[in-house]
Amino acid sequence: MNILSTENLFKDYINGPVVSKVLKGIDFNVKKGEFLAVMGPSGSGKSTLLYQLGLIDNATSGKIILDGQSVSDLTDEEKQNIRLNSLGFVFQDYALIPELTASENVMIALMMKGYSKQKAYDISAHYLEMMGLKDRLRNLPSQLSGGEQQRVSVARAVAHKPKILFADEPTASLDSTMSEQVMSVFKELHKNGQTIVMVTHEPEYGKLTQRIVYLRDGKIENHNHKF
Ligand SMILES: Nc1ncnc2c1ncn2[C@@H]1O[C@H](COP(=O)(O)OP(=O)(O)OP(=O)(O)O)[C@@H](O)[C@H]1O
Ligand SMILES: [Mg+2]
């Protein structure tokens, strides 16, 4: 069953008189529980595709169907609700709030969804422990290594059990040891049933997924079914 699919998706960026055609008719499917990698040259449109799929940005034309619902024609507020409640995001630069501890960074996302402070704390502690950060709950981001910060951001992204976890080059700022820690967290999440769409430049991390979709110049180049 597809949890996410697109039909003939186009994205143009318009800056004054300049129109950049970035996505050029993308038909793309993600199955429930799938761990999928998006790869391709710099500038091919990987982040742009992720932003459309994650309802962070509005496509120029085409359709996005999330868990059986067409989401293309929803209002910005409706999209925001879906983003908050059903999707999770991990970015290259962790995007943690520097003034908040590891656990507070996870809690704040949960409290925005209406969880009580105590409940949010308990969930944050559970997920941070799962990420191997049991002893780091009270650390500020500046008191954590890059790999630890990224695992906090993964905990924040999955603590509300999103239908899909999107990650845009989650290991690009990390050395190989830290990258492997983060990738083993992704593998564990996938084993527990999490659907994951991950953009990566690293062929060795692409190989950890079930399927790699290659983008080139805004189009899907081929599907590489490994199994
Ligand atoms: N807001 C924007 N306005 C105009 N052009 C943009 C904007 N964002 C991205 N682009 C252009 O769209 C194209 C695709 O960018 P995108 O960031 O999706 O590529 P990418 O595949 O993620 O590359 P990288 O591997 O370097 O992250 C690039 O040519 C980029 O310059
Ligand atoms: Mg990118």
Side-chain angles (χ1 to χ4, degrees):
M1 181 193 136
N2 287 332
I3 190 143
L4 179 66
S5 55
T6 72
E7 287 171 18
N8 213 17
L9 200 69
F10 284 77
K11 176 66 186 179
D12 303 339
Y13 288 111
I14 298 163
N15 291 308
V18 183
V19 178
S20 315
K21 293 181 180 299
V22 175
L23 298 181
K24 302 172 182 171
I26 302 274
D27 293 314
F28 179 80
N29 297 306
V30 183
K31 290 196 176 56
K32 192 161 193 270
E34 191 172 29
F35 185 6
L36 183 144
V38 178
M39 301 189 71
S42 183
S44 56
K46 304 180 297 297
S47 296
T48 301
L49 176 61
L50 214 67
Y51 295 157
Q52 315 309 309
L53 298 176
L55 312 184
I56 292 174
D57 194 10
N58 294 318
T60 304
S61 64
K63 216 168 167 183
I64 299 176
I65 298 146
L66 173 65
D67 207 12
Q69 183 190 14
S70 174
V71 290
S72 319
D73 298 328
L74 299 181
T75 64
D76 285 349
E77 196 184 341
E78 288 168 325
K79 286 185 184 177
Q80 187 189 36
N81 277 331
I82 293 179
R83 247 185 358 251
L84 212 59
N85 293 306
S86 308
L87 306 176
F89 297 92
V90 173
F91 300 100
Q92 174 178 340
D93 61 0
Y94 331 130
L96 298 176
I97 300 171
E99 294 83 3
L100 300 184
T101 64
S103 123
E104 288 165 348
N105 264 282
V106 180
M107 286 168 69
I108 196 161
L110 292 165
M111 287 165 70
M112 276 169 70
K113 282 181 256 293
Y115 286 80
S116 70
K117 197 169 176 186
Q118 183 62 46
K119 183 83 184 151
Y121 177 79
D122 293 345
I123 297 173
S124 80
H126 168 79
Y127 277 93
L128 289 168
E129 189 171 339
M130 184 174 148
M131 302 297 153
L133 296 169
K134 195 176 164 201
D135 303 326
R136 299 284 188 277
L137 264 57
R138 290 166 182 276
N139 287 45
L140 294 170
S142 60
Q143 299 165 330
L144 295 168
S145 72
E148 290 170 337
Q149 289 182 63
Q150 191 58 303
R151 282 180 282 149
V152 173
S153 95
V154 177
R156 179 181 57 186
V158 298
H160 61 296
K161 300 190 192 302
K163 288 177 184 166
I164 306 172
L165 171 62
F166 293 102
D168 194 358
E169 307 209 29
T171 62
S173 306
L174 303 175
D175 68 24
S176 62
T177 308
M178 292 188 200
S179 296
E180 274 157 30
Q181 289 169 357
V182 170
M183 288 316 303
S184 71
V185 163
F186 274 56
K187 275 196 295 185
E188 190 65 24
L189 288 166
H190 171 235
K191 224 169 71 188
N192 294 335
Q194 178 70 57
T195 308
I196 306 174
V197 179
M198 174 180 76
V199 172
T200 183
H201 266 121
E202 304 286 339
E204 64 178 302
Y205 299 138
K207 282 188 203 141
L208 294 176
T209 69
Q210 293 171 296
R211 183 158 67 98
I212 303 175
V213 171
Y214 291 96
L215 269 192
R216 182 176 290 276
D217 193 22
K219 292 184 183 147
I220 292 180
E221 193 167 66
N222 69 27
H223 284 258
N224 174 10
H225 290 274
K226 294 194 311 189
F227 303 114

